[in-house]
């Protein structure tokens, strides 16, 4: 299963519209989108879970989310998992970094002991079993990127699975051979892989052949948003009329009608179902532009 990352409800809806059966909430993208800050431990549990709740409620497909390091020790993880379950996401991954944590593909990571990390996974598994046995607990180790080597990473991954994790996430393998070794070492169906940063990229068929159960691409949408917004901003700075040029250029795009994309057709459907007829008449009798009562759900009127 290839699962791209989103950083908010808007990008989650884009991925769902594109046809993905599952999406991932990126921690880096969440920190950058909400706070304008890098993935260096700035985002709190409250902020991460709020974003997860918005995303899960914006789409119909399952959402997997970054839960960083559980925001404390095993006691904090107990609350962290219970509240992530309440957001509506289908699962999370927890890592073995200390607080403050950081992106798995930058230098400067430090880990908690194997014993402490395994205790946090046991806590997560117990909460999962009590509140929602279908909730996915993915245990991530950053041992490779922290300079402890792949042997230590695999040792930790095995211990996390024994502690009750559903899947193991060895962050930061740097060669195809290292990815193959991780796949051989883990039980079938338990391999969670992040094909970004320093790690090799694979096609859907290659992932299947390797035995990867879930592969994520966390920040492709984040980079797309940053670069596309910047390019348009530069043009608007030069000439405000570039807005019209841009709108014309995307007029046939699948997401060009922002009203249709955002769900105004559903609003109209609910209004017709629940509001009194005289109130509907008052709301729409003198409407002069899109999304009046008679407008079809696939209206292509100007935004």
């Amino acid at each position: 299963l290839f699962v791209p990352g989103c950083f908010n409800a808007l990008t989650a809806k884009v991925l769902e519209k594109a046809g993905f059966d599952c999406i991932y909430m990126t921690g880096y993208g969440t920190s950058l989108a909400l706070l304008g800050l890098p993935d260096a431990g700035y985002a709190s549990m409250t902020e991460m879970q709020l974003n997860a709740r918005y995303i899960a409620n914006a789409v119909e497909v399952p959402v997997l989310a970054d839960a960083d390091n559980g925001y404390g020790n095993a006691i904090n993880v107990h609350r962290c998992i219970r509240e992530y379950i309440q957001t509506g996401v289908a699962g999370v991954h927890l890592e073995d970094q200390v607080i403050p944590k950081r992106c798995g593909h930058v230098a400067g990571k430090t880990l908690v002991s194997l014993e402490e990390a395994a205790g946090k996974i046991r806590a997560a598994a117990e909460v999962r079993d009590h509140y929602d046995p279908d909730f996915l607990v993915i245990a991530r180790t950053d041992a490779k990127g922290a300079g402890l080597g792949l042997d230590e990473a695999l040792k930790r991954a095995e211990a996390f699975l024994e502690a009750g994790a559903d899947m193991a996430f060895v962050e930061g393998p740097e060669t195809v051979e290292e990815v193959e070794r991780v796949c051989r070492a883990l039980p079938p169906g338990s391999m969670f892989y992040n094909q970004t940063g320093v790690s090799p990229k694979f096609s859907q068929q290659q992932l299947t052949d390797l035995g990867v159960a879930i592969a994520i691409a966390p920040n492709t949408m984040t980079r797309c948003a940053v670069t596309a917004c910047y390019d348009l901003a530069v043009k608007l700075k030069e000439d405000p009329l570039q807005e019209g040029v841009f709108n014309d250029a995307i007029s046939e795009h699948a997401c060009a009608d922002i009203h249709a994309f955002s769900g105004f057709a559903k609003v109209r459907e609910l209004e017709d179902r629940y509001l009194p007829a005289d109130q509907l008449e008052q709301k729409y009798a003198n409407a002069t532009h899109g999304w009046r009562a008679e407008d079809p759900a696939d209206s292509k009127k100007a935004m």
Side-chain angles (χ1 to χ4, degrees), residues 19-39:
F20 286 97
D21 296 322
C22 181
I23 57 181
Y24 169 77
M25 185 193 87
T26 160
Y28 201 132
T30 295
S31 182
L32 190 56
L34 287 184
L35 310 176
L37 293 170
D39 184 7

Side-chain angles (χ1 to χ4, degrees), residues 118-130:
K120 293 168 74 170
I121 298 303
R122 284 198 304 274
E126 288 177 8
V127 174
R128 172 203 61 202
D129 294 344
H130 181 76

Side-chain angles (χ1 to χ4, degrees), residues 8-297:
N8 59 12
L10 169 63
T11 47
K13 286 176 70 69
V14 169
L15 292 174
E16 183 181 47
K17 185 174 179 63
F20 286 97
D21 296 322
C22 181
I23 57 181
Y24 169 77
M25 185 193 87
T26 160
Y28 201 132
T30 295
S31 182
L32 190 56
L34 287 184
L35 310 176
L37 293 170
D39 184 7
Y42 288 110
S44 68
M45 183 177 78
T46 300
E47 290 163 331
M48 292 288 285
Q49 289 178 343
L50 183 62
N51 201 34
R53 184 181 299 277
Y54 287 150
I55 290 169
N57 281 276
V59 296
E60 299 293 331
V61 297
V63 176
L64 302 176
D66 188 344
D68 293 323
N69 50 17
Y71 312 101
N73 62 17
I75 312 308
N76 302 100
V77 167
H78 210 272
R79 177 191 173 209
C80 171
I81 297 301
R82 185 181 77 244
E83 296 198 6
Y84 260 107
I85 290 173
Q86 293 168 354
T87 69
V89 299
V92 298
H93 65 70
L94 291 165
E95 65 206 35
D96 53 0
Q97 291 191 45
V98 302
I99 297 174
K101 55 85 61 184
R102 59 179 50 202
C103 169
H105 291 258
V106 298
K109 295 176 290 296
T110 307
L111 308 188
V112 300
S113 70
L114 172 56
E115 291 73 22
E116 180 178 350
K120 293 168 74 170
I121 298 303
R122 284 198 304 274
E126 288 177 8
V127 174
R128 172 203 61 202
D129 294 344
H130 181 76
Y131 289 100
D132 182 1
D134 293 326
F135 189 79
L136 200 62
V137 173
I138 304 158
R140 165 178 152 181
T141 177
D142 285 89
K144 176 71 167 58
L148 301 181
L150 192 56
D151 287 343
E152 177 66 16
L154 292 174
K155 178 182 177 182
R156 287 180 174 236
E158 180 181 354
F160 297 161
L161 290 171
E162 291 178 356
D166 298 296
M167 303 184 74
F169 175 5
V170 175
E171 178 71 295
E174 298 179 51
T175 65
V176 173
E177 291 72 26
E178 287 184 339
V179 176
E180 291 174 337
R181 183 182 170 194
V182 174
C183 289
R184 289 194 301 268
L186 297 178
S190 68
M191 171 70 164
F192 187 96
Y193 178 61
N194 178 11
Q195 58 172 19
T196 192
V198 301
S199 297
K201 316 299 187 290
F202 300 104
S203 69
Q204 184 72 68
Q205 187 58 54
Q206 288 173 321
L207 291 168
T208 300
D209 293 342
L210 283 166
V212 174
I214 297 177
I216 57 172
N219 285 301
T220 305
M221 296 291 285
T222 308
R223 290 185 173 93
C224 177
V226 170
T227 54
C229 286
Y230 175 82
D231 288 347
L232 180 56
V234 169
K235 292 179 180 179
L236 290 172
K237 180 68 166 57
E238 295 172 350
D239 179 7
L241 291 177
Q242 285 294 316
E243 179 191 8
V245 175
F246 171 75
N247 286 338
D248 290 342
I250 66 165
S251 61
E252 299 302 318
H253 193 280
C255 299
D257 187 334
I258 202 72
H259 303 314
F261 172 76
S262 65
F264 255 103
K266 184 65 175 180
V267 174
R268 290 296 298 113
E269 176 189 333
L270 294 174
E271 287 178 335
D272 287 342
R273 190 184 308 170
Y274 299 121
L275 298 187
D278 60 337
Q279 190 176 122
L280 281 172
E281 175 65 21
Q282 182 181 8
K283 284 172 68 69
Y284 291 105
N286 298 315
T288 59
H289 53 275
W291 297 97
R292 296 164 295 174
E294 67 270 22
D295 286 336

